Amino acid sequence: MQIRAWLLGDTTNSMTKRVLTYVNAAVEWGIKFKIITRLSASPFNGMAADLPKHNWQSDPEPNAFSPEEKALVLEDVLKVGSFCKKAHKV
């Protein structure tokens, strides 16, 4: 469908998957409560399942920083901590 292609071209796979899931739910709800009468089933059904898994599904371990970046951050925190202790004594 055109909306899927547009979403994939303008957003991430993860955002496309979320939007298609929500649009499908909305259309199914509309059909169920007879707000949408021209369709018997949602044309968006299954579209989200065809896309790759979200990153958090395939790699649930948070990895905001590489091991090297973590070491640098901790090193800087320790430097600031010792500076604050010295400044507080003055």
Side-chain angles (χ1 to χ4, degrees):
M1 287 188 95
Q2 288 178 340
I3 190 167
R4 183 179 186 272
W6 178 81
L7 286 165
L8 286 170
D10 284 11
T11 66
T12 63
N13 283 344
S14 185
M15 178 61 78
T16 299
K17 189 174 186 114
R18 280 186 283 163
V19 168
L20 290 173
T21 299
Y22 294 138
V23 168
N24 180 57
V27 171
E28 286 182 349
W29 181 86
I31 292 169
K32 179 180 178 180
F33 289 99
K34 300 190 180 10
I35 296 168
I36 298 173
T37 57
R38 293 183 180 177
L39 298 172
S40 58
S42 173
F44 300 98
N45 193 12
M47 277 191 193
D50 293 340
L51 294 169
K53 289 183 176 183
H54 297 288
N55 288 341
W56 59 267
Q57 288 175 310
S58 57
D59 184 14
E61 186 68 32
N63 53 0
F65 298 103
S66 69
E68 295 81 19
E69 291 169 327
K70 288 178 192 175
L72 288 171
V73 168
L74 291 174
E75 184 180 309
D76 285 347
V77 167
L78 292 174
K79 285 179 187 175
V80 169
S82 65
F83 172 77
C84 289
K85 286 179 186 176
K86 289 177 186 174
H88 185 60
K89 289 181 182 180
V90 174

